[in-house]
């Protein structure tokens, strides 16, 4: 395992210790979240009783393979906590960019149905300003996506329709496309959040503001638990 994976695993293992028997747990998506699901699988084999709500088909498959019971928001509309990764985490606010893995819509729905969102990451994900290294993924309906893209460009974004490995548009679990929007960097995340929400054809976007309850960050000097300057709103 390379050094970065060791950090991801350290953050994931710390987060999984917060999970208690009887909890309904949101299961994130991505390489860091996948370490948390592995660790949860080990705890389930040792007798931990939880129900997982997956944020993607990929995560659902992994959880099933490890024997973690999974369910949906239809049966459990309120979760105790969600453990998920992030692409960028803003120092202080712990606001996020998520969705590089393409699961942002379900990730946001699950996170907002939970009482706590625990973000796990290696220290390279911390930024002073969002949009420094990653574009904001914006999920759009395929019908007329070009019109939505034009509006995103008018908001100042450099846009790119995300392609899958087959060079065709990447299709999310919800059957939508993703337009990656680079604003490098984002000066006013809350204003941008409002503007993105008003673009017709946009289903959801990867700015997760005021949602993080704790960020568990692993670095070369150990694991730190960060809390946002303002409490999260769920
Ligand atoms: C998935 O859609 C994303 O939100 C991921 O949580 C995010 O991209 C972080 O992924 P890694 O843990 O693989 O860096």
């Amino acid at each position: 395992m390379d050094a970065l994976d060791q950090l991801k695993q350290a953050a994931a293992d710390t987060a999984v210790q917060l999970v208690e028997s009887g909890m309904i747990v949101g299961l994130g998506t991505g390489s860091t979240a996948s370490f948390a699901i592995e660790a949860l699988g080990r705890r389930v084999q040792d007798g931990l009783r939880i129900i997982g709500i997956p944020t993607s088909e990929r995560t659902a498959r992994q959880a099933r393979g490890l024997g973690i019971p999974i369910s949906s928001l239809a049966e459990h509309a309120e979760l105790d906590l969600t453990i998920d990764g992030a692409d960028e985490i803003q120092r202080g606010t712990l606001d996020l960019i998520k969705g590089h893995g393409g699961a942002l819509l379900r990730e946001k729905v699950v996170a907002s149905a939970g009482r706590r969102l625990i973000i796990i990451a290696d220290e390279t994900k911390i930024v002073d300003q969002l949009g420094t290294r990653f574009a904001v993924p914006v999920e759009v309906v395929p019908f007329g996506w070009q019109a939505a893209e034009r509006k995103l460009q008018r908001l100042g974004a450099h846009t790119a329709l995300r392609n899958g490995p087959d060079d065709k548009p990447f299709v999310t679990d919800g059957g939508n496309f993703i337009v990656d929007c680079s604003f490098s960097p984002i000066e006013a995340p809350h204003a941008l959040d409002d503007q993105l929400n008003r673009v017709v054809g946009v289903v959801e976007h990867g700015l997760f503001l005021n949602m993080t309850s704790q960020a568990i960050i692993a670095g070369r000097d150990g694991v730190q638990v960060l809390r946002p300057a303002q409490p999260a709103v769920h």
Side-chain angles (χ1 to χ4, degrees), residues 8 28-34 55 58 84-88 97-105 107 119-122 125 134 137 162 178 208:
K8 291 176 185 185
T29 295
S31 58
T32 317
S34 143
T55 54
R58 192 178 356 150
D84 204 349
D87 301 309
E88 287 187 352
I97 289 181
K98 285 183 53 53
H100 194 60
L104 67 106
L105 173 59
E107 288 174 339
I119 292 297
I120 49 176
D122 63 83
K125 303 288 185 67
F134 277 86
R162 191 180 297 183
I178 289 186
F208 284 48

Side-chain angles (χ1 to χ4, degrees), residues 24 53 71-80 109-115:
I24 311 293
I53 309 291
S71 184
S72 69
L73 292 172
E75 277 81 41
H76 301 280
E78 258 185 63
L79 284 67
D80 294 288
V109 172
V110 170
S112 72
R115 282 192 271 278

Side-chain angles (χ1 to χ4, degrees), residues 28-112:
T29 295
S31 58
T32 317
S34 143
F35 282 114
I37 297 160
E38 266 178 32
L40 272 176
R42 288 192 291 273
R43 288 198 59 197
V44 164
Q45 302 212 327
D46 289 345
L48 179 77
R49 286 177 305 99
I50 57 158
I51 292 174
I53 309 291
T55 54
S56 64
E57 298 301 327
R58 192 178 356 150
T59 291
R61 277 194 297 278
Q62 185 190 7
R64 268 190 222 105
L66 293 167
I68 301 172
I70 57 171
S71 184
S72 69
L73 292 172
E75 277 81 41
H76 301 280
E78 258 185 63
L79 284 67
D80 294 288
L81 58 84
T82 295
I83 300 175
D84 204 349
D87 301 309
E88 287 187 352
I89 304 162
Q90 181 165 273
R91 205 183 298 283
T93 62
L94 306 187
D95 287 338
L96 313 169
I97 289 181
K98 285 183 53 53
H100 194 60
L104 67 106
L105 173 59
R106 293 189 186 184
E107 288 174 339
K108 203 181 259 190
V109 172
V110 170
S112 72

Side-chain angles (χ1 to χ4, degrees), residues 144-163:
W145 67 268
Q146 298 89 341
E149 183 186 40
R150 184 68 66 86
K151 291 192 176 140
L152 295 168
Q153 288 167 346
R154 285 205 203 109
L155 297 178
H158 286 100
T159 59
L161 181 70
R162 191 180 297 183
N163 278 340

